[in-house]
Amino acid sequence: MVKELIHDPIFLAQKSSPADESDRQTAQDLLDTIIAHKDECVGMAANMIGVKKRVIVFNDSGAFRVMFNPEIIGRSEPYKTAEGCLSLLGEPRPTTRYKKIKVRYLNEEFKPRIKTFTGFTAQIIQHETDHCEGILI
């Protein structure tokens, strides 16, 4: 179900709790919501739809992916950029990201995975995992 986006910075600044298999509906709601906003959004975290759980979705070269409990366990090649966010009003804000990251997560079947991401996909994942940590750009 497409959910309303949360814009409350106090809510968004709270850390999310670990997700479990009961959060599959949250992942589906996130997918429905990002698809509804696909022209203006490339990633979402569950807190953006009012759920404080560690679930993210993102556009991975044209396919939408889900990660439960993503954790960045490696990063290299920092660079400066500016990012916007559907949950935050105003212009894009400056931030530092990494060109290459290694992520530990659970996939849609709750199977543990470790994968390396690069480029824009890595940037999206960093932004969304920051949401899970209550970090706003």
Side-chain angles (χ1 to χ4, degrees):
M1 173 185 290
V2 175
K3 298 291 188 173
E4 184 176 336
L5 297 176
I6 301 299
H7 300 285
D8 179 358
I10 295 171
F11 179 85
L12 294 169
Q14 297 174 39
K15 280 190 173 189
S16 296
S17 302
D20 59 38
E21 292 194 41
S22 69
D23 295 305
R24 289 180 191 272
Q25 185 60 52
T26 296
Q28 186 59 57
D29 291 344
L30 270 175
L31 284 169
D32 294 344
T33 305
I34 196 172
I35 289 167
H37 292 276
K38 68 180 181 225
D39 292 337
E40 58 201 8
C41 183
V42 293
M44 287 187 159
N47 65 353
M48 293 174 67
I49 60 168
V51 179
K52 288 191 293 185
K53 291 295 191 108
R54 294 184 64 87
V55 183
I56 69 170
V57 297
F58 58 96
N59 185 331
D60 184 10
S61 301
F64 290 102
R65 306 278 184 227
V66 174
M67 286 183 176
F68 294 96
N69 301 320
E71 178 187 2
I72 297 172
I73 58 173
R75 58 192 76 186
S76 62
E77 302 178 58
Y79 66 97
K80 301 283 186 189
T81 189
E83 297 175 350
C85 181
L86 279 183
S87 287
L88 301 174
L89 303 174
E91 297 298 315
R93 294 164 174 89
T95 189
T96 299
R97 295 294 182 211
Y98 296 84
K99 291 181 183 177
K100 184 176 179 181
I101 60 171
K102 184 183 282 191
V103 184
R104 178 177 28 229
Y105 63 99
L106 300 174
N107 69 8
E108 294 91 339
E109 290 82 34
F110 275 82
K111 304 282 187 212
R113 298 286 183 258
I114 296 177
K115 186 173 178 180
T116 298
F117 295 89
T118 60
F120 190 53
T121 301
Q123 183 177 339
I124 298 166
I125 294 168
Q126 290 168 81
H127 181 103
E128 302 314 329
T129 56
D130 277 357
H131 269 293
C132 293
E133 296 297 327
I135 298 169
L136 304 176
I137 57 165

